[in-house]
Amino acid sequence: MSNPSIFAPMSDKFQMFENRLAKVLKHLRKTARRQGITCFRLYDRDLPEFPLIIELYEDKVYVAEYQSQHNLDDDAYEQWLQHSLDVVAKVLEVSRDDLYLRTRQRKQDRQSQYEKLDFSKEELIVQEDGLKFKVNLSDYLDSGLFLDHRITRHMVREEARDKKVLNLFCYTGSFSVYAAAGGAATVTSIDLSKTYLQWAEENMRLNGLFDPAKHEYIHADVLQYLDELKLNTYDLVILDPPTFSNSKRMKDFLDIQRDHVTLINKVLLATRKDGVIYFSNNLRRFELDEANIEAASIRNITAQTVPFDFQGKLLRHCFRIIK
């Protein structure tokens, strides 16, 4: 337990943090219940003195601490952090044992997402849009479900019926689950990590959608595998690559600003006429080189894909591209 006396000069700021959490929780929890969602983002560095991201997963809480400049020595900073977590536990009415803390750098590559940080395997099943997903709050940098793509996933389900779907950089396969739930004819999920492909299969099983005759999981470096895709094959493609990746398991390194035109054009070759690509990335200053993309239509749908818990805070981009 932290020693509040150390923070007497900051007591007003801690009270402000507590008030902010309580106010936002009351508002967002109502919306989440109405939408049948049991996991959502509560707080995203709203106050500069508290550079944290807080997400609820059922009755568990994920807290991401962003490394930032501060004028505290190590002991004082640890006290600040512990007192902040006390406030979070108090407002959310959970035990400190139900808080899972991760420290993030301001710039992460996909490799750090793959690295295992722990082995305690704190897993639970959450619900979103009538579907179930396994999340792990202890062992990796991310939980296994990117909450900011909730609306985009719904869009994919709405247009997946009888389509051949390709999910590139599929991670734990949440888009694949939505596509299969929407009645896709086939879903092909590709990722560099065997761990995440197995997780994607688990998510399919959770929803009664696992069917090896219709849906396949390919362990491959996507950048290399694009050249092996059959021409004019897929009706619907999800392309959500990392901003930057220099994983030792990849033959080439990826820089999404530099490489997105080549990446998208290769995917377009594998897409049928009038097929749709949902392309997204998290590079804040990303600029789409539309003139050099060989598509019939490109629409920026970022604004339409912002969930209720990310209003005014979403940094990613999302485009709907038609061949």
Side-chain angles (χ1 to χ4, degrees):
M1 183 69 73
S2 60
N3 179 2
S5 64
I6 293 177
F7 294 101
M10 280 192 69
S11 59
D12 289 346
K13 292 181 179 178
F14 278 112
Q15 186 62 54
M16 186 169 59
F17 179 49
E18 180 177 334
N19 293 344
R20 174 70 180 176
L21 287 182
K23 180 180 178 180
V24 176
L25 176 65
K26 182 178 180 181
H27 171 66
L28 293 184
R29 185 167 268 166
K30 286 181 180 178
T31 305
R33 285 173 177 163
R34 192 166 58 246
Q35 295 186 13
I37 292 166
T38 65
C39 45
F40 59 93
R41 180 165 292 189
L42 171 64
Y43 176 93
D44 189 343
R45 294 168 283 186
D46 299 13
L47 303 175
E49 298 88 351
F50 298 90
L52 304 171
I53 285 180
I54 304 169
E55 295 177 346
L56 272 66
Y57 292 86
E58 301 278 338
D59 56 352
K60 309 292 184 184
V61 184
Y62 171 90
V63 181
E65 169 208 9
Y66 273 78
Q67 294 183 343
S68 59
Q69 296 293 328
H70 56 78
N71 298 317
L72 303 175
D73 61 31
D74 290 347
D75 289 342
Y77 182 80
E78 181 62 21
Q79 289 278 12
W80 167 85
L81 178 60
Q82 294 306 318
H83 195 62
S84 298
L85 295 177
D86 288 341
V87 172
V88 174
K90 175 186 175 183
V91 174
L92 273 55
E93 299 180 323
V94 300
S95 162
R96 278 291 302 266
D97 292 339
D98 290 327
L99 297 183
Y100 297 88
L101 178 67
R102 283 285 168 263
T103 300
R104 306 181 71 103
Q105 298 175 353
R106 291 201 176 272
K107 291 185 178 179
Q108 301 280 354
D109 61 22
R110 183 62 65 97
Q111 177 66 11
S112 61
Q113 179 195 80
Y114 285 133
E115 290 172 352
K116 198 155 192 177
L117 305 175
D118 200 344
F119 293 89
S120 52
K121 207 172 183 179
E122 294 290 342
E123 298 176 345
L124 66 152
I125 307 303
V126 298
Q127 297 183 48
E128 180 186 274
D129 215 354
L131 299 170
K132 298 176 182 178
F133 298 93
K134 183 186 87 170
V135 297
N136 183 319
L137 301 181
S138 59
D139 296 356
Y140 302 93
L141 189 61
D142 292 300
S143 69
L145 184 65
F146 291 134
L147 305 181
D148 62 307
H149 268 306
R150 193 182 302 124
I151 292 175
T152 325
R153 287 191 282 266
H154 183 83
M155 289 178 172
V156 165
R157 179 164 65 178
E158 290 293 296
E159 59 183 303
R161 181 160 299 280
D162 300 326
K163 302 287 180 62
K164 286 189 174 183
V165 178
L166 175 64
N167 187 5
L168 299 166
F169 304 97
C170 74
Y171 189 40
T172 60
S174 57
F175 273 106
S176 300
V177 169
Y178 269 79
T186 65
V187 181
T188 301
S189 305
I190 305 177
D191 200 272
L192 186 62
S193 167
K194 289 182 179 178
T195 298
Y196 287 135
L197 286 172
Q198 292 170 357
W199 196 331
E201 292 185 26
E202 287 184 62
N203 280 333
M204 283 287 206
R205 286 192 176 94
L206 277 175
N207 293 281
L209 298 168
F210 184 75
D211 185 350
K214 294 174 61 178
H215 311 312
E216 63 177 334
Y217 310 85
I218 298 173
H219 174 237
D221 176 348
V222 172
L223 297 184
Q224 300 300 310
Y225 198 81
L226 287 176
D227 294 324
E228 300 180 34
L229 294 174
K230 294 180 180 179
L231 300 178
N232 306 310
T233 299
Y234 299 99
D235 305 293
L236 183 59
V237 182
I238 299 95
L239 178 60
D240 184 26
T243 297
F244 178 83
S245 182
N246 59 353
S247 167
K248 293 177 181 178
R249 288 175 286 178
M250 293 177 70
K251 184 175 179 181
D252 301 318
F253 76 89
L254 174 68
D255 178 328
I256 197 59
Q257 184 61 67
R258 182 196 67 190
D259 300 329
H260 74 276
V261 170
T262 300
L263 197 62
I264 293 170
N265 283 338
K266 284 186 176 182
V267 174
L268 282 165
L269 289 174
T271 306
R272 290 177 175 171
K273 188 178 184 303
D274 299 322
V276 174
I277 299 171
Y278 282 99
F279 167 61
S280 64
N281 71 80
N282 294 314
L283 181 61
R284 182 179 299 194
R285 294 187 174 89
F286 178 77
E287 294 184 10
L288 189 74
D289 185 1
E290 190 169 336
N292 288 303
I293 295 173
E294 298 163 4
S297 135
I298 299 175
R299 187 159 57 96
N300 188 332
I301 60 169
T302 303
Q304 296 97 290
T305 60
V306 181
F308 68 90
D309 46 335
F310 285 83
Q311 294 290 332
K313 303 172 184 176
L314 193 61
L315 300 179
R316 67 157 171 78
H317 308 268
C318 192
F319 304 87
R320 191 173 190 269
I321 301 171
I322 300 177
K323 182 171 180 177

